[in-house]
Structure formats: structure tokens, C-alpha cells
Amino acid sequence: MTHVTERPVSGQPENGNRQLWTAEGSTNRRRTVTYADAGVSIHAGDKAVEMLKDKVARTHRPEVLGGLGGFSGLFKLDTSKYKSPVLASSTDGVGTKLAIAQQMNIHDTVGIDLVAMVVDDLVACGAEPLFLLDYIACGEVVPDRIAEIGAGIADGCRYAGCALLGGETAEHPGLMRPDEYDLSANGVGVVEEDMILGAERVQPGDVVIAMRSSGLHSNGYSLVRHVLLGQARLKLDSVIEDLGDQRTLGEELLTPTKIYAKDCLSLIAECEVRAFAHVTGGGIPGNLVRVLPKHLDATVNRSTWAPQPIFDLIQRKGRIDQHDLESTFNMGVGMFAVVSAADADRAMALLTGRGVECWHVGDIIEGTGQVHMLGSHTRG
């Protein structure tokens, strides 16, 4: 929603005698400048919110109080369900993947990316995502476009099991082009204090399980655009044979980010999970290292999987070094789970049953807090 704050007109007193409006038909009235003259449409913002109400309502959990339109979203946390609840929070955006969506005029998937980037960070510590608040900044509020973006956000929240509690749509004429927008969101989750996952739980002999990504997810798009659209001069509507399935480059680049939240929560409920590592900026080594204590290392065997063809295309077209590639992209792994060796097979069976492609990718060994990338990727 777009909010407007009114300020006193220069030369008029800020008191009860101030004339706040002039009756229509006044003989002395001159045409005044309106907010719409400055490029902001309150009506368009209200229309976009109205178009989203049903989608947002479908994300609501029993703890949500009220609906859209208030100054804040209300969520009644049932503390009786927890012994010692700890709130977790995360904030993120989609990055320059939005430039692809805007070029293609496809806006109903980037909202899923936004939710994924937030909730999968929350679940990494073992927290159940409870609710999310979004922020959309745009050059012009086009109700249909905002509704498409919001619908994707609502879909993502449903996939994650969290409520879309509220948000803000801000119109920034003069700062952003009419077709330009940016997205961000903040999410809140809850976890029992004695169930918080992380490096302190990881032990020697634990197994590292990889969960396959849906593709690039929402990281490294500045490099993607520089290499594929700049250096290689590829077109978004071109069918790239290397990508298979007669997919255009644009369709590949807009593949929504995989949301793992419910899968990870199911894993926690059934297995001895030590830690999760959400693979975002920094790639596999830069994120897996975040769940390692200083006296332990993790091995990652590249020969256990084949990255999606998009990664090879980027590497070839940009002549990118393997280290730089792996430090930027997820290379086909969106989430790691570190589990006890005794529960490894059970964990992989559970994930497979939920439709998540996964595999034993490495192990936890004695060391100095490093990630060792071993072997070479399979092809095909």
C-alpha cells in the first residue's frame, strides 16, 4: 500500500483555524498540484491491494489476527506450544534477477524467489517460518503487475507454510522508471532454544546430504547478465539447445527458486539433524563453511552429481575459472543437511519421498573449519 503524509502549506498556521480544504465551486480557487501530478496514484495502489486480498487470505495461519488494511500485521504466537521459544528473523531480496523479469514482462515468479530467499534462511537454524512482510518499490504502480508480483509472493508463502502478514508498495516516480521495481521481504520464525541448529551441533563422522536446486536460484545474476546477455549477446527469447526441453534462455533464467522450508522441518522431526546450509551468494564453499566448527572440515565430492546445463553454459561463454564459478553459483545444490551417520539413509529416504532429489555428497572430518571440494562433476 502507498501511504501519504500531508504537511501544512507554506504560510498557513498549524492550528485548529487552518482551512484544510476548499469547497468545490469556490470562485477564488486556483488549480492545485495533486499527488497524481507528481506521479503517485493512491487509487492504483488501493486497486492492487484489493486484487491481492484473496491470494493473501489463503496464506493465513490460525495465529493471524485481522486482515489487510491495518497499520501493522498481528500474529498471536501460541507460547503454550513451546518450552523456551526463540524468534528468528531474516531479510533478503531477489537481486538483479528482477531485470530479467522486467525485460520479459513476466512477474508472477519473482515473488516465489523472494520468499525462498527468506524462509530457507530461517529454517537453516531450525526455525519454522511463521510470517513474512514484503516491500515493493516501483516507478509506477500498475495494478495488474503488482498483483502478479504479489500473487507469486503469496504462492511462495503457501509453499513455505507461513502467513503473508502484510507489506508496502511504494511508488517512486523520478527515481525509478515506470516499468522498474525492486523487492525485499522480512520473515519471522520460531524455534525451541534447545533445538537451534548450527556449527556447535556438528560432529566428526556426520554425513553431508545435498538437496538439488531448481537452477540458478536468485544469486549471481549480475554475472549471468554480463556473460550471457552482454559478452555472448544471447537473446532471452532464444531457444538454447544446451538447456534441453526446448526452453528459452529467459524461461531458464526465471526458473523459481526452490523452497525447502517444509522439507527441512520434516527432516528435523524425523532425524538427528545437526545443521542446514542454505546455498546462496558465496556458493557451496562460502555457505557450507558457515556451519562448521573450527576443529572440523567438510568434504564435498563433485563426482556425486551433475550440475544443470545452465552452469556449464555460463562457464563456457564467460571463460570463468572453476573457483570463481563455485564461489558465485549454487552449482545445482540449493541446501545442505548435516545429519548423524546413523540417520543418513533415513533422511535421504524421507526427502526422496517428499520429491526432493538428494544424495550423500560428503562427510564431516577433523580439520580446521574448511570445505574441501573434491573430484570433478559428472556430465550429462
Side-chain angles (χ1 to χ4, degrees):
M1 294 163 286
T2 303
H3 299 295
V4 183
T5 302
E6 299 292 348
R7 295 180 174 82
V9 178
S10 177
Q12 289 187 345
E14 291 188 71
N15 54 40
N17 297 324
R18 177 187 169 203
Q19 187 174 351
L20 297 179
W21 53 273
T22 303
E24 188 172 341
S26 170
T27 57
N28 296 323
R29 184 178 181 186
R30 294 182 298 174
R31 186 188 184 283
T32 58
V33 175
T34 68
Y35 211 1
D37 291 328
V40 177
S41 172
I42 301 295
H43 172 72
D46 290 343
K47 183 178 179 182
V49 171
E50 189 64 32
M51 293 171 71
L52 281 170
K53 278 187 175 179
D54 288 344
K55 273 276 190 180
V56 173
R58 290 177 208 161
T59 74
H60 283 182
R61 298 164 49 117
E63 302 98 325
V64 175
L65 304 180
L68 290 178
F71 287 98
S72 59
L74 301 176
F75 190 96
K76 186 177 181 180
L77 181 65
D78 184 2
T79 55
S80 66
K81 293 169 57 178
Y82 309 94
K83 295 178 182 178
S84 182
V86 174
L87 294 180
S89 64
S90 176
T91 187
D92 213 332
V94 180
T96 61
K97 185 173 186 175
L98 294 177
I100 306 297
Q102 290 160 25
Q103 284 180 257
M104 296 187 67
N105 196 30
I106 297 175
H107 313 288
D108 59 351
T109 61
V110 289
I112 298 173
D113 293 297
L114 178 64
V115 176
M117 300 303 287
V118 173
V119 299
D120 286 342
D121 273 355
L122 288 175
V123 80
C125 73
E128 175 190 0
L130 297 175
F131 59 83
L132 182 136
L133 299 164
D134 66 75
Y135 179 80
I136 305 173
C138 59
E140 179 184 354
V141 172
V142 178
D144 287 343
R145 183 167 61 212
I146 298 300
E148 286 182 39
I149 297 168
I153 297 173
D155 285 342
C157 285
R158 286 192 298 105
Y159 302 154
C162 68
L164 180 53
L165 199 56
E168 172 77 0
T169 299
E171 201 164 18
H172 293 166
L175 292 180
M176 305 177 79
R177 298 188 310 271
D179 62 340
E180 187 179 6
Y181 59 85
D182 197 7
L183 308 178
S184 64
N186 183 73
V188 173
V190 63
V191 58
E192 285 282 10
E193 186 174 10
D194 62 359
M195 292 294 290
I196 296 174
L197 305 180
E200 62 279 359
R201 288 179 175 266
V202 178
Q203 300 177 19
D206 285 345
V207 169
V208 182
I209 296 172
M211 302 181 214
R212 193 163 183 85
S213 71
S214 56
L216 288 166
H217 284 185
S218 295
N219 295 105
Y221 272 76
S222 293
L223 180 57
V224 170
R225 289 162 51 240
H226 175 73
V227 169
L228 299 185
L229 306 184
Q231 288 183 345
R233 298 184 180 181
L234 299 179
K235 303 297 182 183
L236 291 174
D237 59 358
S238 298
V239 174
I240 309 297
E241 185 177 345
D242 292 354
L243 301 179
D245 298 326
Q246 293 296 302
R247 285 166 65 84
T248 66
L249 177 61
E251 289 170 339
E252 175 66 34
L253 297 183
L254 283 187
T255 302
T257 303
K258 169 73 175 171
I259 294 177
Y260 301 94
K262 286 186 176 181
D263 305 311
C264 290
L265 291 174
S266 295
L267 208 59
I268 293 170
E270 298 294 333
C271 303
E272 186 64 34
V273 179
R274 316 287 200 198
F276 290 115
H278 184 202
V279 184
T280 55
I284 289 173
N287 286 282
L288 188 53
V289 73
R290 296 165 68 178
V291 298
L292 294 178
K294 293 182 178 179
H295 66 287
L296 296 177
D297 288 358
T299 61
V300 174
N301 189 345
R302 298 186 188 96
S303 68
T304 59
W305 85 98
Q308 291 91 334
I310 186 65
F311 299 105
D312 183 57
L313 180 67
I314 295 167
Q315 185 173 29
R316 285 190 291 104
K317 295 295 185 182
R319 298 188 296 277
I320 301 173
D321 175 83
Q322 183 73 20
H323 176 269
D324 289 337
L325 197 72
E326 291 180 335
S327 298
T328 305
F329 302 109
N330 65 60
M331 300 303 296
V333 179
M335 181 76 78
F336 286 106
V338 180
V339 304
S340 68
D343 273 357
D345 289 341
R346 185 181 182 187
M348 287 187 284
L350 186 150
L351 289 171
T352 300
R354 293 184 59 86
V356 179
E357 185 179 348
C358 62
W359 61 94
H360 180 170
V361 74
D363 301 281
I364 302 298
I365 60 175
E366 297 289 346
T368 57
Q370 300 181 60
V371 175
H372 303 282
M373 303 292 293
L374 309 174
S376 300
H377 289 299
T378 58
R379 300 295 176 185

